[in-house]
Amino acid sequence: MTPSDRPKPEVFHRLRPPPSRLPKALKIASLVVLGLTVLMFAGCAWLFGGLIANSLERVEPTRALILSVTAQRGFAPAGDPRLAEGAQLSPEALARLNSGLAETGGALFISKPGCTAQSYRGAEAREGDFVTCLAQVDFLNNVQRSVEIVWVRQRGAWYVDDFSMQDARAE
């Protein structure tokens, strides 16, 4: 028997129809859409990652500020270097805060502050990166108060934009 007389094996891939080919333009458009999607997700991760990092880096400075302010019985009345330029804390509010801090007797316990970050850009009245931190503070005179500190980044450093205390309410 010669090689040409042998029976040919059945080839199954010839029985199936050939796979359809996508047009070249559709492939290019798909790759462009995929690339833009990846860039969008990377941009969001970069933006939100920065906000999360800002809020996490303000936790310990918030505790330190509360300890410092309660030990000194308030902020310096005339131009405390920890306060931001154009801070929301007016001189009258600062005087009320300092008198409230003077009667607390110093901090006994400070809960771990919970901080959230916001970034305002564009047409906002106040632009910049802000971090708001909330903590519960037990004072030596058996008073528990909720302390809210708003930090703002100015010239690459963090300053206090607002500092407020309220009596803690039972829930």
Side-chain angles (χ1 to χ4, degrees):
M1 201 185 251
T2 65
S4 61
D5 293 337
R6 287 190 206 154
K8 303 239 186 224
E10 299 247 355
V11 181
F12 291 105
H13 73 276
R14 289 186 188 160
L15 299 177
R16 284 186 273 155
S20 63
R21 303 296 255 164
L22 290 176
K24 190 173 186 177
L26 187 58
K27 284 182 184 178
I28 292 172
S30 298
L31 289 174
V32 168
V33 168
L34 178 66
L36 289 174
T37 305
V38 167
L39 283 175
M40 182 183 69
F41 281 118
C44 288
W46 175 75
L47 175 68
F48 290 115
L51 290 175
I52 291 169
N54 286 343
S55 64
L56 291 176
E57 81 177 34
R58 292 287 91 206
V59 170
E60 284 307 313
T62 297
R63 291 183 65 142
L65 179 69
I66 293 171
L67 282 173
S68 171
V69 167
T70 56
Q72 296 171 359
R73 305 287 195 255
F75 287 95
D80 194 302
R82 296 174 289 194
L83 293 176
E85 292 176 11
Q88 299 253 337
L89 200 55
S90 68
E92 297 81 24
L94 185 61
R96 280 193 310 273
L97 176 67
N98 286 344
S99 68
L101 285 168
E103 64 189 37
T104 60
L108 181 64
F109 172 77
I110 302 171
S111 69
K112 182 176 181 181
C115 299
T116 58
Q118 303 89 23
S119 185
Y120 300 112
R121 303 278 185 252
E124 296 290 328
R126 295 182 51 93
E127 279 192 359
D129 295 332
F130 294 87
V131 175
T132 304
C133 296
L134 296 168
Q136 296 293 322
V137 182
D138 293 335
F139 291 98
L140 291 173
N141 64 355
N142 289 334
V143 173
Q144 185 180 41
R145 295 199 174 149
S146 177
V147 175
E148 179 183 56
I149 299 173
V150 178
W151 297 88
V152 62
R153 188 190 315 251
Q154 293 178 341
R155 295 178 310 279
W158 289 97
Y159 296 95
V160 176
D161 188 51
D162 196 8
F163 190 109
S164 61
M165 285 191 327
Q166 294 145 7
D167 289 335
R169 292 175 178 79
E171 295 185 18

